[in-house]
Amino acid sequence: HCNLNEVVLSRMKTYLPYFDQKGGDPEEGAKLLSNGVKRKSGGGKASSSKLASNPHLKVLDLSFSNLDSKAYRTVATIVSQSSNLEVLVLDGNRMHGNDVRSIIHSTRRHPCLKHLSLSGCKLSDECMEFVSFGVKSNANITHIDLSNNDITPLGFQILINAMEQGSCRGLKLLDLSYTSLGDEGVTALARCLARGKLPSLESLVLREVGAGQKVLLELMSALASNTSLVAASLHTLDISGNALEATAS
């Protein structure tokens, strides 16, 4: 398993401008972030007080870091105490239900978090209950990447229900590529879009979700019929890798 101190330090160097301490040494900013997740002497609980006191922390990217449950709990503490955090990226880390719950609960009513990326985290349909809770409890989230996960229409319907209740009206980007939505999932999304439940959507990415031509045409029709969405925001629709060609009879 990972050493979270080392991972945070190395990952955050990618975003050093976020940690420039008012003109100070960016390396010191990265060290401050690393110190925020160090264990207290004597084996006490992880402390993120130093991290939380850093007003410059806006991006936390721990992609492909082999995080374990203990690490996720520490990350959740960091997120909940970093009031200016805007971007959380956990791509490529396997997440079980309790891990997703810890992370999602840390984003609850977060004042600034806008981007949540959980691509390639092996999320199951059961995990969608927690994701749905997250979008219901935080209207600030505008970008959600759930691509390359084990999501089927059954799990996606849980998120659709949240959309139908008006929980995603501020959503600008939704990426569900390389999941198993199939015709059923895309049809549910098309109906949701036709009813104007995602009025702020700018980018919809559905690469290789196993959808057929008929359903994809229904999706495009739903988008076209929603004139307010097309005129106001939508600029990207990526449905590549699906069955756009007509099926031979």
Side-chain angles (χ1 to χ4, degrees):
H1 295 299
C2 67
N3 180 317
L4 193 58
N5 278 347
E6 296 176 358
V7 169
V8 171
L9 180 57
S10 63
R11 293 290 179 191
M12 289 304 100
K13 286 181 180 179
T14 306
Y15 299 98
L16 286 178
Y18 288 97
F19 307 110
D20 187 352
Q21 301 296 298
K22 297 183 180 180
D25 183 358
E27 286 288 335
E28 290 302 314
K31 290 177 182 177
L32 175 63
L33 178 58
S34 180
N35 289 337
V37 294
K38 284 183 178 178
R39 289 258 160 206
K40 293 180 179 179
S41 58
K45 292 184 178 180
S47 170
S48 58
S49 58
K50 292 185 178 180
L51 183 63
S53 67
N54 179 6
H56 300 284
L57 180 61
K58 294 186 177 182
V59 176
L60 181 56
D61 185 344
L62 294 170
S63 302
F64 302 98
S65 299
N66 194 28
L67 302 181
D68 58 15
S69 293
K70 183 183 295 184
Y72 281 121
R73 290 193 294 272
T74 302
V75 172
T77 300
I78 293 172
V79 172
S80 63
Q81 295 186 7
S82 301
S83 60
N84 289 316
L85 188 69
E86 296 179 1
V87 179
L88 176 61
V89 183
L90 297 173
D91 297 352
N93 294 291
R94 185 180 183 87
M95 301 184 76
H96 299 288
N98 287 337
D99 304 326
V100 180
R101 180 171 58 184
S102 294
I103 294 299
I104 292 300
H105 273 269
S106 73
T107 69
R108 185 183 181 190
R109 298 190 181 90
H110 196 287
C112 292
L113 188 69
K114 298 178 181 179
H115 298 242
L116 177 63
S117 187
L118 303 176
S119 176
C121 292
K122 302 293 184 182
L123 300 185
S124 64
D125 287 339
E126 290 75 15
C127 293
M128 296 306 292
E129 289 282 0
F130 301 117
V131 175
S132 176
F133 173 82
V135 299
K136 288 179 181 178
S137 61
N138 191 341
N140 294 323
I141 295 178
T142 59
H143 294 64
I144 299 178
D145 186 349
L146 298 173
S147 62
N148 197 23
N149 281 297
D150 301 327
I151 303 171
T152 72
L154 182 63
F156 183 53
Q157 186 60 49
I158 300 171
L159 185 58
I160 287 289
N161 292 342
M163 295 176 182
E164 293 284 1
Q165 295 169 17
S167 298
C168 298
R169 296 188 64 82
L171 193 63
K172 295 182 179 181
L173 179 145
L174 178 61
D175 191 344
L176 292 157
S177 301
Y178 312 112
T179 60
S180 300
L181 295 188
D183 287 351
E184 185 179 349
V186 175
T187 296
L189 180 58
R191 291 172 180 169
C192 187
L193 288 165
R195 287 194 282 267
K197 299 300 182 178
L198 299 174
S200 303
L201 194 65
E202 297 178 354
S203 182
L204 177 60
V205 189
L206 300 171
R207 301 188 193 104
E208 295 189 33
V209 295
Q213 184 193 59
K214 180 180 178 181
V215 170
L216 293 171
L217 290 175
E218 290 176 358
L219 174 66
M220 289 186 279
S221 177
L223 290 170
S225 65
N226 191 334
T227 55
S228 60
L229 176 61
V230 174
S233 57
L234 188 70
H235 57 65
T236 300
L237 173 62
D238 186 345
I239 52 176
S240 58
N242 291 290
L244 286 171
E245 72 280 359
T247 303
S249 57

